[in-house]
Amino acid sequence: MAGLAHRWLTRSIGVATAAVLITGGAAGVTFAAESAPTVAAAETWLPSFEVTSKFGVVATTHPDTVGCDGYNVTGSGTSTGRPITSGTWTQTEVACKATIPGKWDIKGTGTITEPDGDKLHVSYQLTAPLTSDTMVYPTGTYKITGGTGNYQFATGTGKMNARVNMLDHSDVTSTMMGTIEYLG
């Protein structure tokens, strides 16, 4: 009888030990599955330069009707965003149809002038498909090339896009989003 009691006691201890191991193991797995993943700040990117400009343009025929077959474009309007909260936008660009087959090839420069007189200069290069549509949506890149005042030593790059109604040149919108650095 003592042997039978010893076997039952050993079995009970074995079952209890197994139950603790299984419960503890499952609890560890459950805890691991419930914990939220952590996101390091280095994995999150926020643009430091985000500016929208609304302006009108005037287009005149480019003198090179073979090599460019396009327009000289000037424009002016307003800019808002970050780090520029408000300012005026002025631009000059050349929009050619002959340099890239089937696309507008747009190269230009722009200046944003803040109310205190500080200026930020950008250059940009955009393309858009040549279509018979009245709306054209150029996309490409911009580069900050310096300025005056707070932007004297500014540099940066990013993406630029625009919305142009070919029948209404008084309502053009462009957006630049990327980075700005102050090297001075």
Side-chain angles (χ1 to χ4, degrees):
M1 185 75 148
L4 184 59
H6 185 306
R7 273 189 265 153
W8 277 107
L9 180 62
T10 305
R11 284 185 184 165
S12 297
I13 291 172
V15 169
T17 303
V20 168
L21 287 175
I22 290 172
T23 303
V29 171
T30 303
F31 177 77
E34 291 176 351
S35 64
T38 58
V39 177
E43 295 175 15
T44 304
W45 178 81
L46 295 174
S48 58
F49 187 80
E50 193 170 7
V51 174
T52 298
S53 299
K54 296 179 185 271
F55 52 98
V57 296
V58 175
T60 57
T61 303
H62 192 280
D64 184 356
T65 57
V66 177
C68 175
D69 188 26
Y71 301 95
N72 288 322
V73 181
T74 58
S76 63
T78 61
S79 291
T80 58
R82 181 171 44 117
I84 296 163
T85 55
S86 71
T88 58
W89 168 260
T90 56
Q91 70 169 49
T92 59
E93 68 184 27
V94 175
C96 298
K97 296 185 284 185
T99 53
I100 301 175
K103 292 188 176 194
W104 285 102
D105 181 18
I106 305 163
K107 293 181 174 92
T109 59
T111 299
I112 301 170
T113 306
E114 292 184 319
D116 65 0
D118 291 353
K119 295 181 180 190
L120 179 74
H121 304 298
V122 299
S123 63
Y124 56 90
Q125 184 167 346
L126 310 172
T127 60
L130 286 174
T131 69
S132 59
D133 294 342
T134 58
M135 295 302 294
V136 178
Y137 300 94
T139 60
T141 59
Y142 75 87
K143 180 179 180 181
I144 296 172
T145 59
T148 64
N150 287 333
Y151 303 108
Q152 183 176 1
F153 300 106
T155 185
T157 59
K159 298 201 179 293
M160 182 175 182
N161 61 59
R163 183 187 60 78
V164 180
N165 183 335
M166 299 298 275
L167 300 178
D168 180 10
H169 293 173
S170 66
D171 186 23
V172 178
T173 303
S174 71
T175 303
M176 295 178 280
M177 184 181 298
T179 60
I180 186 169
E181 296 179 49
Y182 304 93
L183 302 178

